[in-house]
Amino acid sequence: MTSRVVLGLGGCVDYEVRLTSVGLERLVVTHGITAGDLSLRPSVIEDERGLVVSVLTYLREGRGGEHFVASAAVLEEFAARFPREIALGGTSVRAGFTLDRLGLASTLHLVTLNEHFRRLLPARVDYVSSSSQDSVYPHLITQFDAGLRVRVGDVEVVAPSANRLIYVNDPANEELVLAGELGALLGQSRLFLVSGFNAMRSAALLAERLADLRQHLVQLPREAFVYYEDAAFHEPEFRAAVRESVLERVDVYGLNEDEMQHYLGRPVDLLSAPEVCAALRELHALIPAPVLVVHTKFWSAAVGVSAPSYRQALDAGMLMASVRYVHGDSFTDEQMDAVAGLPRRAESVSFVGELEATAALSGAVVRARPGWVLDVDVPTTVGLGDTFVGGFLSAVLRERAEQWTS
């Protein structure tokens, strides 16, 4: 097997659930949850009550997040209370779907395999797997819409914006065993996406996997492009070890607004050019990748000396994420063209101009692109960052195709 595009390192089955006021209020009553409980932020969720408290806390703030749940049964129990869809997830998997939709082939590195993968993967998406037998460890993906209202005792919790939450109990992705053939596969590749370490929970296993990956990367051609997408770590202290390891080889290091603010330890006004400029400079000092990419609901930006060369990739990433936001998994070429033809958000356009000017005055090289006006009653909030990555990589592939074939 050969592939010019390898996407790793894990993947999963998702239970996609859209939250409702009635369903959540029933759970509030069942578990005796009060407004005072919403100040709790458990790092590990032990039971369904803790899961509901976590959901309501994020919903009140309109933020997204990801957490480990101590019992897989809790995920099944909660998912059964709402209408759900079964899909494939993980950054690499959704990026592969996006590339396939754009006519580009890829090979996934998987750590779990089952009937859902064999049924749902597109024909242009090949795979290798480190798993010797089938297994299913569903991730619970909960979506909430802007304006969703939930009564909690005497208080009404209202979502200020739409977002998604991820809850996980997945031994396969916790171990993240690498397939023996990964190195040989990388030897024939020109693009490698790295993601998935965020689900690991053992420091010893993490160190072992990072060492394994370095050995496989020896076979990757020097001219190959490497993209790393950050994520919400179930064990936050592991983030630094992964970051330092991937910085040895990465070309672009990507993350979303939630992860940016986690790194900085403070909220950032995403439409304040001076505040964002300071945040990006601080973040790039902490993550000194050749190019740092931050993607948000308002804009996407690249920081670094070669940032200007990624302008089209920023647009391609945002376009695919925007189409998914409006139309979900299924959309036509005409719908994609229609989204591309929408006006850009006025506040984002003015912000981008001010951000680039502010950055130039400070000596930083920043290029940013504004998002589109997206007016939809029931948006898809699952997999937007993953889809951004797929769109971004599609532009890199097309821009470098001639170079790689010469």
Side-chain angles (χ1 to χ4, degrees):
M1 177 188 298
T2 61
S3 177
R4 301 183 71 80
V5 179
V6 178
L7 310 174
L9 293 162
C12 61
V13 171
D14 285 344
Y15 286 167
E16 295 184 359
V17 170
R18 188 170 294 275
L19 300 172
T20 64
S21 298
V22 171
L24 286 173
E25 288 175 354
R26 185 180 298 120
L27 287 168
V28 167
V29 172
T30 298
H31 294 293
I33 295 170
T34 67
D37 292 320
L38 303 190
S39 62
L40 303 175
R41 292 182 180 275
S43 58
V44 176
I45 296 167
E46 302 286 351
D47 52 25
E48 188 179 53
R49 188 181 194 278
L51 177 56
V52 176
V53 168
S54 175
V55 167
L56 291 172
T57 301
Y58 279 107
L59 187 151
R60 180 177 59 182
E61 299 173 359
R63 294 194 302 118
E66 179 170 345
H67 286 279
F68 172 74
V69 177
S71 168
V74 170
L75 302 179
E76 293 282 356
E77 181 182 15
F78 186 93
R81 299 182 186 276
F82 297 87
R84 73 184 184 196
E85 294 184 7
I86 295 178
L88 301 182
T91 295
S92 55
V93 174
R94 291 198 187 277
F97 271 83
T98 304
L99 291 175
D100 174 78
R101 182 61 183 79
L102 296 171
L104 298 168
S106 63
T107 297
L108 296 174
H109 176 283
L110 301 174
V111 295
T112 183
L113 192 61
N114 50 62
E115 61 175 320
H116 301 299
F117 275 98
R118 287 186 283 268
R119 174 172 54 89
L120 296 174
L121 280 180
R124 266 188 296 255
V125 179
D126 205 344
Y127 64 84
V128 297
S129 175
S130 61
S131 177
S132 60
Q133 58 186 11
D134 280 16
S135 59
V136 183
Y137 304 108
H139 294 201
L140 173 65
I141 317 293
T142 61
Q143 299 184 81
F144 55 85
D145 299 327
L148 179 65
R149 297 174 179 272
V150 183
R151 175 65 59 179
V152 182
D154 295 331
V155 174
E156 187 175 54
V157 175
V158 183
S161 59
N163 218 315
R164 60 88 181 104
L165 303 167
I166 304 172
Y167 297 98
V168 180
N169 183 295
D170 186 342
N173 279 283
E174 286 179 28
E175 296 181 4
L176 205 72
V177 175
L178 302 186
E181 61 263 47
L182 176 59
L185 186 61
L186 292 179
Q188 304 298 317
S189 303
R190 294 296 180 268
L191 186 149
F192 182 33
L193 166 65
V194 182
S195 64
F197 287 108
N198 63 300
M200 298 194 71
R201 304 186 64 243
S202 163
L205 272 181
L206 175 64
E208 184 178 327
R209 294 298 173 262
L210 290 173
D212 291 344
L213 180 61
R214 281 192 289 270
Q215 289 299 314
H216 288 296
L217 281 170
V218 169
Q219 299 188 54
L220 186 70
R222 292 184 60 84
E223 68 272 17
F225 176 87
V226 180
Y227 184 112
Y228 173 72
E229 179 69 6
D230 210 328
F233 275 70
H234 299 180
E235 301 292 335
E237 65 271 20
F238 290 0
R239 191 187 299 265
V242 176
R243 180 178 71 243
E244 294 307 311
S245 182
V246 300
L247 283 174
E248 298 173 5
R249 184 60 179 82
V250 74
D251 294 286
V252 172
Y253 191 113
L255 66 166
N256 68 21
E257 64 231 61
D258 294 327
E259 287 131 23
M260 174 181 71
Q261 292 170 112
H262 178 86
Y263 268 115
L264 299 174
R266 65 177 186 273
V268 176
D269 181 347
L270 296 177
L271 290 174
S272 166
E275 196 169 329
V276 170
C277 184
L280 292 177
R281 294 192 69 189
E282 182 180 340
L283 190 64
H284 198 208
L286 179 65
I287 308 172
V291 170
L292 176 71
V293 165
V294 179
H295 45 93
T296 81
K297 58 187 174 183
F298 298 119
W299 46 265
S300 63
V303 188
V305 173
S306 57
S309 65
Y310 292 102
R311 187 176 183 275
Q312 289 185 338
L314 293 174
D315 253 352
M318 282 200 307
L319 174 59
M320 297 312 297
S322 297
V323 174
R324 179 173 178 80
Y325 181 86
V326 176
H327 297 292
D329 282 325
S330 301
F331 55 88
T332 65
D333 289 345
E334 290 73 20
Q335 288 171 327
M336 185 164 58
D337 292 341
V339 172
L342 290 172
R344 305 276 181 155
R345 299 175 68 129
E347 68 272 32
S348 297
V349 171
S350 59
F351 163 83
V352 164
E354 186 180 353
L355 174 66
E356 292 185 350
T358 303
L361 289 174
S362 70
V365 180
V366 176
R367 292 294 182 272
R369 297 297 296 150
W372 286 269
V373 176
L374 304 176
D375 186 12
V376 55
D377 292 333
V378 183
T380 296
T381 56
V382 176
L384 299 182
D386 308 334
T387 305
F388 172 90
V389 172
F392 187 99
L393 296 181
S394 74
V396 172
L397 284 166
R398 285 172 172 151
E399 289 171 6
R400 302 192 179 198
E402 185 174 341
Q403 168 192 336
W404 286 335
T405 55
S406 61

